[in-house]
Amino acid sequence: MNARRCVISLVLLLISELVAIQAVSANQALTFGVFSYRPDHILQERYKPLTDYLSRETGLQINLEVLNQENMSRAIAANRLDFFLTNPSHFLLIRSERSLTGVLATLVRRAGDTSTTSLGGVIFTRADRADIAHLADLGDRTIASPGVHFLGGYQAQVLELLDAGIDIRRVNLIRFLGTHDRVVRSVLSGDSDVGFIRTSILEQMAQADPDLFSKVKVLNRQRLAGFPYLVSTRLYPEWPLVALPHVNERTVRKVASAVFAIEPDDEVALAAGISGFSPPADYQAVEYLARTLRVPPYDQAPQLTWVDALHQYRLWVFTILILVTLLLATSLWLGRSRRQLASEQKRLRQLIRGWPQPALLIRDGLFSDTNCASVDLLRYTSSESLVGKDLAVFSPEYQPDGQISRQKMAHMLARVSGGQVEQCEWVLNRSDGTEVWVETTMAPIHAEGEPEGLILCSLYDVTRRKRAEQRQRLAASVFEYAREAIFITNSHGIVVDANDSYLAITGRPRNRAIGRLPPLPVDEGSGIFASARAQGFWSGEFASRRNDGAPIALAVTLSSVRGDHGEVSHFVGIFSDISRIKEQERKLRIMAHYDALTGMPNRVLFADRLQQAMALTKRQSGKLAVVYIDLDEFKPVNDAFGHEAGDQLLVEIATRMRAVLREEDTLARLGGDEFAAIVMNVQDDASLESLLVRLLTRVAEPVWVADHSVEVSASIGYTLFPQIGDLDGDQLLRQADQAMYQAKHQGRNRYVRFVEPSA
């Protein structure tokens, strides 16, 4: 009867889940729940831009609800929430009550220009309480806290005090006030002696009350590098963003893509006081805290001591031995009496069904009974889905070792039936198509000679461990075979390991690479490590040298690796050789800005320098001249002796003119036999005209080309800057060009100043 009720309940639950999913798909309306750790109106104002942003980016209607813990749990149980954001302790409680898909992302909280993915607890009192200065002073004090399920508002502080030998739960009066703001007000008013709040609350409230920090005193203050808030405890991961199981995978991917796309300077991030979201953090530290404090969902777990651990987990350690002994005894009793046989079989099935670890009974190679843990492991709805099938049905065709699953299972069952105990790693297919790694133990539980013996099969989920091993192998493979140089240093910047690409690019043998500094700039190296330590990473380009002294250009990214307590333990650097790219860039710059024949600036670079010169002249209240130079009688030389001779003539004339001009002046070839010059710091007309006369003289001197002495002259036009009116560089060059044509019309081999024609 009870089994029938269980099946009916599971079916009804499945139907409700399907209805909920269809409802969401139909109207595309989703609800985003946020835990109300501060007053509701503050959180509504802060997180409404986030849900509006998600609605825009996903094309779905996403509504915001701010809920306390009790209401959020009720809403989740009723499938009224699709996504929720809460503190890690509350997440563990919800996870224990429902089958969640896991953490979607971890909140990155903003603190001014910095950000953090960690939180902690703050222990504080009024600044004028001279009688409370250390943790030891908290005995018999009245303590205010938002609630027992607040990680940063209660649990982190209690653990910190326990480590200091102080258990406030036994002697102190603790007031649970619901929100952090009420805790602060209670301490400031004198209703409570000490307050427990999470990190960032004082900083947030100080925005409305700038004098707040002068009113409070933080106890047991921790100095944690890179952490931007006042803190009294160790650090834990920030709030997780979680999707409920009924939300379809496509919607989850849309929301995940949207939250990961948030940049720190985005409007939505600034409004919410966050820097975006990071990949899911490891919440094992939170689990350890909850287990240690014995708070939900681990409130029934005993204090973990060696004696208690042996008492609590002795069944896990000796499960197989005890079960084998029990079942062998049962088999003997079954031989004596059918009544005893039936009784013991019933007892065995009850034991298996109540066992917390996945376990199955196998008779004749097929499942004869199973427990709920096995059903949950394979993600089926009832035991009936497994009974009557063999393990190979739920396995892929081949196991990772290359053996056929059905054949390998048959050999194992044969050996177990012969009295052996078999253990191995096995891959199973869940009902949703995902794979799960298990550690399988099979043991016979029948007496020798019994024709229909039972086999106990216990399964232990090792998926997380196998994936970690795969990630480690992948990381090792990337480290070994990457074409980019990868190196690892200790906290002082000394290389402790490097891949082959690092040795090849730097030219260092391994014995000269390990134990030395990486090839960072000597002057900037300490600053690079300091930046990576403070910001988490540094990237940039710089010039270095190989071990043989050859120059090399490197593009480097340096990231910091932090330990369990937030301290920097290592640095990981990646760099690649960009010398060829830099050389190509240099050649392209030359081609874009310099004349290929004379090596002088071209029209593009001339225009840029003219703009800079005009700006400098304005700042210094000086004067400059723009000079346009065109060679006279150049075409006859080019036609008579060929283009090669003409090129030689242009190079020689350009060299002469460059020698006449000063270092601060610019001479450019505009094209053909046309040149332009910028003459800086013109003192008076006489000095400028003297310079132009020297230019004409040098140009007119004979030039030996193609075994002939040839002579050319130049026509020069110039204009001055500044003038009345706002002129740009192109207008100045046109004025000088017009003046040059006037010089040609007046007989050539002369200079003419531009004069604005009268109306």
Side-chain angles (χ1 to χ4, degrees):
M1 191 63 146
N2 291 333
R4 184 179 180 183
R5 290 179 180 176
C6 182
V7 171
I8 294 173
S9 299
L10 290 172
V11 172
L12 293 175
L13 179 61
L14 178 61
I15 293 173
S16 66
E17 293 286 344
L18 293 174
V19 170
I21 293 172
Q22 292 174 353
V24 171
S25 301
N27 56 29
Q28 297 295 301
L30 303 171
T31 304
F32 189 104
V34 176
F35 181 52
S36 59
Y37 71 105
R38 295 200 66 193
D40 290 358
H41 71 278
I42 294 178
L43 297 182
Q44 283 281 354
E45 181 181 355
R46 174 167 293 182
Y47 287 100
K48 186 61 166 64
L50 176 60
T51 55
D52 292 343
Y53 162 80
L54 294 176
S55 298
R56 291 193 308 269
E57 293 297 315
T58 62
L60 307 170
Q61 179 61 41
I62 300 180
N63 303 316
L64 174 66
E65 281 199 33
V66 179
L67 306 162
N68 60 26
Q69 178 177 314
E70 183 178 355
N71 292 336
M72 180 174 284
S73 298
R74 291 176 179 174
I76 292 173
N79 283 331
R80 289 195 295 105
L81 294 184
D82 303 286
F83 298 88
F84 66 87
L85 187 64
T86 188
N87 78 61
S89 293
H90 190 201
F91 161 68
L92 293 183
L93 180 61
I94 297 173
R95 189 182 68 179
S96 70
E97 298 172 348
R98 297 182 62 86
S99 178
L100 300 179
T101 58
V103 177
L104 192 62
T106 294
L107 182 71
V108 182
R109 199 170 295 275
R110 177 186 298 275
D113 294 332
T114 63
S115 59
T116 179
T117 58
S118 301
L119 66 88
V122 179
I123 306 172
F124 74 100
T125 186
R126 281 181 19 183
D128 58 359
R129 292 295 298 267
D131 57 328
I132 305 177
H134 307 284
L135 296 183
D137 300 331
L138 268 60
D140 298 326
R141 306 292 185 180
T142 301
I143 299 174
S145 165
V148 69
H149 302 298
F150 284 69
L151 172 63
Y154 178 77
Q155 298 173 5
Q157 292 90 337
V158 173
L159 181 61
E160 201 73 24
L161 288 164
L162 284 175
D163 289 344
I166 305 168
D167 191 352
I168 60 168
R169 300 171 297 179
R170 299 179 181 272
V171 297
N172 291 78
L173 173 62
I174 304 176
R175 297 172 174 169
F176 297 112
L177 304 180
T179 67
H180 297 280
D181 295 61
R182 292 175 181 172
V183 172
V184 175
R185 290 195 296 269
S186 177
V187 173
L188 293 179
S189 67
D191 292 341
S192 302
D193 299 315
V194 179
F196 291 172
I197 58 175
R198 65 156 282 161
T199 52
S200 81
I201 297 297
L202 289 176
E203 287 80 3
Q204 293 179 33
M205 297 182 68
Q207 296 177 3
D209 183 9
D211 297 329
L212 179 62
F213 288 115
S214 64
K215 301 175 183 177
V216 300
K217 175 171 57 180
V218 176
L219 306 181
N220 196 43
R221 184 173 179 182
Q222 306 294 306
R223 309 287 182 178
L224 304 179
F227 190 70
Y229 300 119
L230 295 172
V231 62
S232 303
T233 71
R234 69 200 70 181
L235 299 180
Y236 301 91
E238 262 289 0
W239 283 21
L241 173 61
V242 183
L244 275 298
H246 65 263
V247 183
N248 65 72
E249 187 176 345
R250 183 177 180 182
T251 300
V252 173
R253 287 199 302 269
K254 284 184 177 181
V255 173
S257 179
V259 299
F260 283 128
I262 298 175
E263 296 292 338
D265 56 352
D266 288 348
E267 184 178 353
V268 61
L270 296 173
I274 65 176
S275 293
F277 290 83
S278 69
D282 187 354
Y283 290 90
Q284 289 187 355
V286 184
E287 293 187 27
Y288 169 77
L289 181 146
R291 292 181 186 277
T292 303
L293 299 183
R294 301 173 68 176
V295 296
Y298 306 109
D299 49 335
Q300 300 301 319
Q303 188 70 27
L304 192 60
T305 65
W306 285 108
V307 176
D308 294 338
L310 181 61
H311 178 75
Q312 180 180 354
Y313 298 107
R314 66 185 186 279
L315 295 178
W316 290 83
V317 178
F318 303 107
T319 297
I320 301 300
L321 179 61
I322 294 175
L323 287 176
V324 169
T325 303
L326 176 63
L327 295 176
L328 285 175
T330 303
S331 299
L332 294 175
W333 296 338
L334 290 175
R336 298 175 183 178
S337 170
R338 284 187 177 183
R339 185 175 180 180
Q340 289 181 343
L341 173 63
S343 176
E344 292 301 330
Q345 286 180 340
K346 182 179 179 180
R347 179 183 175 187
L348 176 61
R349 286 184 171 84
Q350 291 176 343
L351 178 63
I352 296 298
R353 290 172 181 175
W355 200 251
Q357 184 175 326
L360 309 101
L361 288 177
I362 299 176
R363 185 186 296 274
D364 295 333
L366 304 177
F367 300 147
S368 63
D369 205 351
T370 182
N371 62 358
C372 293
S374 300
V375 176
D376 293 339
L377 176 68
L378 296 174
R379 296 181 180 174
Y380 281 85
T381 57
S382 65
S383 298
E384 286 74 11
S385 302
L386 308 182
V387 174
K389 302 180 177 65
D390 62 4
L391 196 63
V393 172
F394 305 97
S395 307
E397 184 178 359
Y398 293 91
Q399 289 296 308
D401 61 2
Q403 297 188 53
I404 300 175
S405 297
R406 188 167 295 279
Q407 293 180 359
K408 184 177 181 179
M409 180 55 58
H411 294 323
M412 289 177 59
L413 291 175
R415 290 192 293 271
V416 175
S417 299
Q420 299 182 31
V421 176
E422 287 287 318
Q423 286 185 318
C424 70
E425 291 182 345
W426 196 270
V427 175
L428 296 171
N429 290 330
R430 289 181 166 133
S431 63
D432 58 5
T434 60
E435 291 186 345
V436 57
W437 279 84
V438 295
E439 193 173 83
T440 304
T441 302
M442 294 186 181
I445 52 175
H446 64 277
E448 292 184 354
E450 187 176 1
E452 295 183 355
L454 289 175
I455 294 175
L456 174 65
C457 177
S458 65
L459 308 174
Y460 182 72
D461 189 351
V462 295
T463 305
R464 180 178 296 181
R465 189 194 74 198
K466 297 300 292 187
R467 289 177 178 173
E469 293 174 355
Q470 291 172 353
R471 288 195 296 270
Q472 290 176 351
R473 288 194 295 271
L474 179 60
S477 177
V478 170
F479 185 86
E480 182 177 356
Y481 297 109
R483 298 184 62 181
E484 291 77 13
I486 305 175
F487 64 93
I488 303 171
T489 76
N490 59 18
S491 60
H492 303 292
I494 303 300
V495 177
V496 297
D497 200 3
N499 66 353
D500 292 340
S501 296
Y502 177 96
L503 307 178
I505 293 175
T506 62
R508 299 178 179 179
R510 181 166 292 277
N511 60 350
R512 292 183 60 85
I514 307 301
R516 299 173 181 265
L517 293 171
L520 303 178
V522 177
D523 298 335
E524 304 175 17
S526 59
I528 292 173
F529 278 102
S531 178
R533 186 185 301 274
Q535 305 296 328
F537 76 98
W538 179 93
S539 63
E541 300 176 356
F542 59 83
S544 184
R545 290 189 177 276
R546 289 171 49 86
N547 195 51
D548 59 5
I552 187 173
L554 302 176
V556 180
T557 298
L558 186 68
S559 302
S560 60
V561 180
R562 299 188 178 275
D564 296 336
H565 302 291
E567 80 284 358
V568 174
S569 60
H570 295 82
F571 292 94
V572 177
I574 302 175
F575 65 77
S576 54
D577 184 358
I578 58 173
S579 301
R580 297 179 66 181
I581 297 175
K582 288 299 181 181
E583 179 62 21
Q584 291 174 355
E585 290 177 352
R586 186 188 68 81
K587 291 180 179 179
L588 290 173
R589 284 196 300 271
I590 292 174
M591 292 173 61
H593 294 95
Y594 290 90
D595 178 54
L597 176 63
T598 63
M600 291 183 174
N602 60 12
R603 185 182 291 270
V604 175
L605 184 55
F606 178 84
D608 182 64
R609 289 188 179 180
L610 180 56
Q611 292 297 323
Q612 296 179 20
M614 291 168 64
L616 178 62
T617 300
K618 282 184 178 181
R619 290 196 300 270
Q620 297 179 348
S621 300
K623 186 186 295 184
L624 65 81
V626 178
V627 183
Y628 204 105
I629 308 166
D630 186 85
L631 300 184
D632 304 324
E633 304 299 330
F634 173 75
K635 188 175 183 303
V637 176
N638 210 34
D639 294 342
F641 303 107
H643 292 289
E644 184 176 351
D647 290 346
Q648 292 177 8
L649 177 61
L650 289 174
V651 172
E652 176 62 24
I653 295 298
T655 303
R656 292 178 180 182
M657 291 191 293
R658 179 64 264 179
V660 174
L661 297 174
R662 301 164 300 176
E663 188 67 29
E664 62 185 353
D665 302 330
T666 296
L667 178 66
R669 184 189 180 198
L670 304 183
D673 59 350
E674 296 178 340
F675 297 84
I678 306 170
V679 181
M680 301 293 295
N681 299 320
V682 177
Q683 301 299 321
D684 50 47
D685 293 348
S687 61
L688 175 60
E689 292 176 356
S690 176
L691 174 65
L692 299 178
V693 170
R694 292 197 301 273
L695 279 174
L696 293 172
T697 301
R698 290 289 289 149
V699 172
E701 293 176 356
V703 181
W704 188 264
V705 295
D707 297 327
H708 290 81
S709 178
V710 299
E711 295 181 4
V712 296
S713 62
S715 297
I716 298 176
Y718 74 94
T719 187
L720 298 176
F721 177 84
Q723 302 177 17
I724 299 175
D726 191 11
L727 300 177
D728 58 22
D730 290 339
Q731 291 173 313
L732 291 176
L733 190 61
R734 285 196 295 271
Q735 288 181 357
D737 186 28
Q738 293 174 21
M740 182 273 295
Y741 276 107
Q742 292 179 16
K744 281 188 178 294
H745 292 156
Q746 293 177 15
R748 303 179 179 180
N749 193 24
R750 65 191 67 229
Y751 61 85
V752 173
R753 176 178 175 177
F754 174 80
V755 178
E756 188 72 37
S758 57

